Amino acid sequence: MSITTAHDRVNSFVANPRRMFIGGQWTAAVSGKTFATPDPSTGETLAYVAEGDEADIDRAVQAARTAFEQGPWSRMTASDRGRLIWKIGDLILENAEELAQLETRDNGKPYAVALAADVPLAADLFHYMAGWATKIEGNTIDISVPYMPGANFHSYTLREPVGVVGQIIPWNFPLLMAAWKLGPALATGNCVILKPAEQTPLSALRLAELIAEAGFPDGVVNVVPGYGETAGARLAAHPGVDKVAFTGSTEVGRLIVQAAAGNLKKVSLELGGKSPNIVFEDAEPEAVAGAANAIFFNHGQCCVAGSRLFVHHSRFDEVVEGVAEIAKSIKLGPGMDADTQMGPLVSEEQLTRVTGYLDSGRTEGATTVVGGNRHGDRGYFVEPTVITNARNDMKIVREEIFGPVVVAEPFSDLDEIAAQANDTEYGLGAGIWTKDISKAHALAKKIRAGTVWINCYNVFDAALPFGGYKQSGWGREMGHEVLNNYTEVKAVTTQL
Ligand code: NAI
Ligand code: MG
């Protein structure tokens, strides 16, 4: 598909209010309401979308339940299920330019990034998970049963789908988060209600079209756009939902846990971070670009952003100046402009939140080396920012900013840095830059985080488990680890 054809397709996709996808049908909200999703580079409305509410979630849960209990999905062979999931990956690649443009216009990220990263990673996730459909296995277990001497048994386990799964995703990687959630749920045979973020509902709705095109039975995947406080909250609390998977803020993660308590549905959470990125005295010069990428990629709107930069005191000035130079050179603009390197933040709310942190850093006495302000007066742009001279008790050091803002501080030795790196309520990611492999691996062991990158950052793969220690979450996404989140284990015993 040419870039212009993709452009025409996106224009026609956003021209009419988008409906929600329930039980294989495209429908308006029960209330008839729609909401606007803005183009963050201008603040103008990009599209109107059906506003899912409690009644729509209820319809979707019913459709998913019927598909799970009575539909062809539950009778399908694992091999056929895998083939369908593989097809989603293929269709994503066939429609790559269109999906990348949709993502860019709804979320704000540069088109080249959406095309090179978000879209192929989403396709690869489905391709990877397709293979797992035929590899979900139980065990045979030799049991002893001491209180039944002489008896013989045959025991085995079955790994079965959890059932009806609610999935609530954020706006920073809208298509990719949909893939991370849907891929493993489908590979293990569940039925899903996906609620995309209200800021970025469009690519998930286009993905639902592709899922229908792939030939999924009705009700296996339902996509209900809407707000968190209404549609999201109903999905998390719904008594007919067996499991909820959530990615987003730690604050809402707690609400999800409370809502799930009603029917004790299973919960997996991928929450915030305040990840340390550590540059040692013997780091290669690439550590400077690496540190900049760790925080500025996706405008800092990454749960795993390297937002606390620790640099050995002997290299501190050089690395901070280097990152500041890169920050100054980054070209901000609308994601669809070919020379744009950083787009706007996703929403006015995020603009207010991030500039609020910049103000609080200034008020509390930190030094802004570069950036520190909103960029322009149209759209939600923030300057890439480097801050030094912050204290550990400052909000900018403790809280997730979720913008292009890094706080740099010097350190002196290995023991000190492990303690500093772990001095956070989060535990999602960490970066280590050094030529000394023993030092790197020794520190990797000490860090309480789900991902550690050595001499690299932001390296993701469908085969690598991802998730958080501490308040960064429960469970892992991707890899074979995620399959545990979506299966129940049944032990079957026969007396012979
Ligand atoms: P959020 O946590 O409110 O939104 C994430 C998703 O949760 C959205 O789909 C939203 O509709 C839904 N949601 C919101 N309230 C809900 C509720 N009561 N019940 C069920 N679902 C609900 O995040 P928000 O407000 O967009 O961003 C605030 C902060 O959260 C960011 O500044 C950032 O620090 C963090 N965040 C972290 C993300 C991550 O990848 N870990 C992604 C997005 C935000
Ligand atoms: Mg919120």
Side-chain angles (χ1 to χ4, degrees):
M1 190 194 304
S2 78
I3 190 162
T4 23
T5 319
H7 195 68
D8 292 345
R9 289 226 208 161
V10 170
N11 280 341
S12 74
F13 191 81
V14 298
N16 297 308
R18 303 312 311 178
R19 298 176 155 219
M20 56 185 79
F21 188 59
I22 296 177
Q25 306 297 312
W26 291 95
T27 85
V30 170
S31 68
K33 282 201 265 183
T34 61
F35 66 101
T37 178
D39 172 343
S41 69
T42 60
E44 285 160 18
T45 295
L46 172 62
Y48 289 93
V49 175
E51 185 186 325
D53 208 330
E54 295 194 0
D56 305 289
I57 293 292
D58 291 356
R59 285 197 292 163
V61 171
Q62 188 55 54
R65 177 60 61 193
T66 305
F68 184 72
E69 280 173 7
Q70 293 153 35
W73 180 243
S74 49
R75 296 187 297 274
M76 196 177 279
T77 65
S79 167
D80 286 344
R81 205 165 66 224
R83 252 193 293 272
L84 276 183
I85 297 167
W86 184 274
K87 188 91 190 288
I88 306 176
D90 285 351
L91 287 170
I92 288 175
L93 293 179
E94 280 169 32
N95 294 278
E97 285 97 344
E98 183 192 341
L99 286 164
Q101 285 195 29
L102 203 53
E103 202 74 325
T104 290
R105 290 174 67 181
D106 206 9
N107 162 281
K109 67 180 67 198
Y111 172 69
V113 174
L115 190 64
D118 298 64
V119 173
L121 279 171
D124 192 52
L125 192 290
F126 285 109
H127 285 149
Y128 171 85
M129 287 297 166
W132 275 115
T134 47
K135 296 161 196 73
I136 311 295
E137 297 173 343
N139 302 108
T140 54
I141 301 171
D142 189 10
I143 62 172
S144 304
V145 200
Y147 57 86
M148 293 175 75
N152 279 319
F153 297 96
H154 169 53
S155 288
Y156 61 92
T157 54
L158 294 171
R159 227 167 231 288
E160 299 180 339
V162 174
V164 171
V165 174
Q167 303 185 317
I168 300 171
I169 57 170
W171 41 260
N172 49 346
F173 297 90
L175 179 70
L176 187 57
M177 291 301 103
W180 281 24
K181 291 280 181 289
L182 291 171
L186 297 173
T188 45
N190 296 277
C191 292
V192 178
I193 302 97
L194 177 79
K195 193 203 82 65
E198 55 270 35
Q199 297 84 351
T200 54
L202 297 178
S203 57
L205 292 170
R206 182 68 184 110
L207 178 64
E209 292 184 349
L210 298 179
I211 287 171
E213 187 181 333
F216 273 78
D218 293 350
V220 174
V221 175
N222 305 276
V223 178
V224 181
Y227 291 99
E229 296 74 9
T230 51
R234 177 63 178 161
L235 191 53
H238 202 293
V241 170
D242 301 304
K243 175 198 160 50
V244 62
F246 172 75
T247 298
S249 61
T250 297
E251 178 195 356
V252 173
R254 284 197 187 89
L255 296 177
I256 301 283
V257 170
Q258 285 161 16
N263 71 336
L264 290 173
K265 60 174 65 66
K266 314 289 181 249
V267 179
S268 53
L269 304 169
E270 203 263 273
L271 307 176
K274 194 73 186 173
S275 298
N277 193 21
I278 302 158
V279 181
F280 281 98
E281 62 275 26
D282 61 350
E284 298 277 6
E286 288 74 45
V288 174
N293 162 63
I295 183 63
F296 298 139
F297 175 64
N298 213 41
H299 328 165
Q301 301 170 131
C302 293
C303 46
V304 79
S307 52
R308 293 184 300 143
L309 175 61
F310 295 100
V311 186
H312 189 264
H313 64 80
S314 64
R315 301 278 301 274
F316 187 73
D317 291 347
E318 169 216 333
V319 171
V320 168
E321 272 163 36
V323 175
E325 280 307 313
I326 293 173
K328 265 187 260 177
S329 76
I330 291 173
K331 170 101 179 59
L332 275 85
M336 286 309 295
D337 287 4
D339 58 348
T340 289
Q341 293 172 313
M342 185 185 283
L345 298 185
V346 75
S347 65
E348 191 170 359
E349 189 187 358
Q350 287 304 114
L351 174 67
T352 307
R353 183 174 276 141
V354 172
T355 52
Y357 278 112
L358 294 172
D359 291 342
S360 107
R362 266 190 291 263
T363 313
E364 293 189 291
T367 306
T368 304
V369 179
V370 65
N373 296 295
R374 181 180 184 183
H375 168 86
D377 51 14
R378 187 162 183 258
Y380 314 133
F381 297 91
V382 170
E383 294 169 345
T385 299
V386 178
I387 295 174
T388 55
N389 291 320
R391 287 186 320 274
N392 237 10
D393 61 338
M394 289 183 185
K395 271 174 57 166
I396 52 167
V397 176
R398 310 234 52 100
E399 296 178 18
E400 180 172 59
I401 297 176
F402 230 63
V405 183
V406 65
V407 179
E409 55 182 290
F411 72 91
S412 298
D413 66 58
L414 190 64
D415 289 333
E416 175 198 346
I417 190 56
Q420 267 181 285
N422 287 330
D423 181 15
T424 164
E425 65 196 25
Y426 294 114
L428 199 57
I432 299 172
W433 300 82
T434 174
K435 284 200 279 266
D436 180 339
I437 54 165
S438 306
K439 188 161 64 183
H441 292 295
L443 182 55
K445 278 195 175 182
K446 288 183 181 170
I447 285 177
R448 307 273 301 155
T451 293
V452 178
W453 285 298
I454 299 171
N455 296 330
C456 58
Y457 208 96
N458 284 331
V459 177
F460 297 96
D461 192 89
L464 266 182
F466 181 82
Y469 283 44
K470 301 198 272 185
Q471 293 186 35
S472 290
W474 291 353
R476 294 293 177 271
E477 304 204 82
M478 302 198 289
H480 54 79
E481 296 288 342
V482 69
L483 304 171
N484 297 332
N485 290 346
Y486 288 98
T487 47
E488 293 277 16
V489 176
K490 181 182 286 172
V492 182
T493 296
T494 312
Q495 186 164 4
L496 301 175

